[in-house]
Amino acid sequence: MDILIKSFNRAYYLDRCVSSIEKYIDGDIKIKILDDGTPSKYLNLIKQKHPQVTIITSQQYNEKVKSVELNITTGSEINGFIIPTQMWIEQAQKSSEYFIMTEDDVWFFKPLAINPIINNLKIFNIHLLNLSWLGNKTKNYPVTDSLTDLIYSSTPKNLFTPPRFIFKAYYYNQFKLFSILYKLGLVNNNTKQKYWQLNSILMGLWNKKYWLEVWKGIDDQVDEHKQLFNATIFFRKNKKNKNFIGTLKQAVMETTFKSSATNSHHQYNDTFDVNRFNYIMNEAWFKGDLNIWENFPKDFSDSYIISFLNKINDAKAKSKDWLKWSEKFKNQYRNLGIKIDD
């Protein structure tokens, strides 16, 4: 089974991600890093530490590396809105029938035997298995039936999934359909969030056909609305499958809320530059000063991160500004109902 890791310029987390896979995943796996601009000296060290991984770079890799270098030397912004969807889709098409699609800032923290899991996905016809739920299991993945000692069925039962043309009008508010339903009290601001039960950005074990349907028509930019629309249309065709979505009974993956790949999606009108932050952390890792297992299985501790920031004392990545930025970053996701372990 393939494990595909989307990666951009956070080698210090990527090393933790790959190392955790090697430590906790048992089974026939191939690790593929899908990189979009991590400087080559970092990727070379990743390859040296993990010779069994395959590193695949995007079409815009050289351009992205240049943007990282310019950010450090001139302070110019990195455009994080352009993403390598073409590479992701091409590699998914070439992948195993089931695969994990994750990102560089995610890590495993419990053992997982892949081969029996895959067998159960086939037996129960599960198209997406959630490997974690960011601390809000009951709300995001309502349990319906226990399938095995490890897996629940968590297929949503009451999602509104009408024919495509009606759902398109409803979901995109064509003809003000959603607005009318809102005024009638039939929907609310949280209604569309329920469709996230059909998708997983970071922590999913996917049936290849389903993942490709979810990402159909998405080109070079993040479009989560399109993903959820595609997922819903495909789910409607498979509504008789009561085990379409599954969830592990115990979470096995964790992620960070202390860093981001770029500033693009997390600008809070602060002086803090997460690109400069990543540069400082990457360099500490590259020099052998950063221990990827610090505070594991939780994220790096605040005091550990602060020790590196204070040592460099960069005006664009001061520890006090990072703490403020990190709290705003966490609140962005808390507002979506995600529980964050501080």
Side-chain angles (χ1 to χ4, degrees), residues 188-253:
N188 56 47
N189 291 329
N190 296 320
T191 298
K192 293 181 181 179
Q193 291 296 323
K194 296 177 181 178
Y195 293 94
W196 274 107
Q197 297 174 63
L198 301 175
N199 196 11
S200 174
I201 300 297
L202 303 174
M203 304 176 181
L205 200 171
W206 292 81
N207 171 283
K208 176 166 66 175
K209 182 179 179 181
Y210 182 42
W211 189 94
L212 290 171
E213 284 292 329
V214 171
W215 282 83
K216 182 183 292 184
I218 297 176
D219 187 21
D220 292 337
Q221 293 196 21
V222 174
D223 189 343
E224 293 176 347
H225 293 295
K226 180 75 170 178
Q227 291 176 45
L228 297 185
F229 179 84
N230 290 344
T232 305
I233 297 303
F234 188 84
F235 174 63
R236 184 178 189 273
K237 298 175 182 177
N238 293 270
K239 285 192 72 172
K240 292 182 179 180
N241 178 4
K242 65 178 182 179
N243 301 321
F244 187 82
I245 304 291
T247 300
L248 285 183
K249 293 182 178 180
Q250 290 189 335
V252 298
M253 301 181 81

Side-chain angles (χ1 to χ4, degrees), residues 77-132:
E77 192 55 73
I78 298 173
N79 184 357
F81 292 109
I82 304 300
I83 58 174
T85 54
Q86 181 179 352
M87 174 176 64
W88 298 346
I89 292 171
E90 287 177 354
Q91 292 306 313
Q93 290 171 335
K94 297 176 182 178
S95 76
S96 49
E97 180 183 3
Y98 294 89
F99 61 81
I100 292 173
M101 180 71 78
T102 188
E103 298 190 6
D104 52 12
D105 62 345
V106 182
W107 58 91
F108 286 87
F109 65 90
K110 285 184 180 179
L112 186 67
I114 283 295
N115 293 350
I117 289 287
I118 295 298
N119 287 337
N120 283 321
L121 297 189
K122 293 178 180 179
I123 291 170
F124 293 104
N125 198 20
I126 296 172
H127 282 64
L128 170 61
L129 180 68
N130 296 294
L131 304 178
S132 190

Side-chain angles (χ1 to χ4, degrees), residues 22-54:
E22 294 171 345
K23 181 179 178 67
Y24 289 109
I25 300 301
D26 177 46
D28 301 322
I29 62 169
K30 294 180 181 179
I31 303 172
K32 298 180 181 180
I33 297 170
L34 313 182
D35 194 82
D36 190 38
T38 303
S40 60
K41 73 174 187 178
Y42 300 144
L43 289 184
N44 290 340
L45 183 53
I46 289 289
K47 186 66 175 178
Q48 180 181 330
K49 297 180 73 170
H50 310 283
Q52 81 286 358
V53 306
T54 299

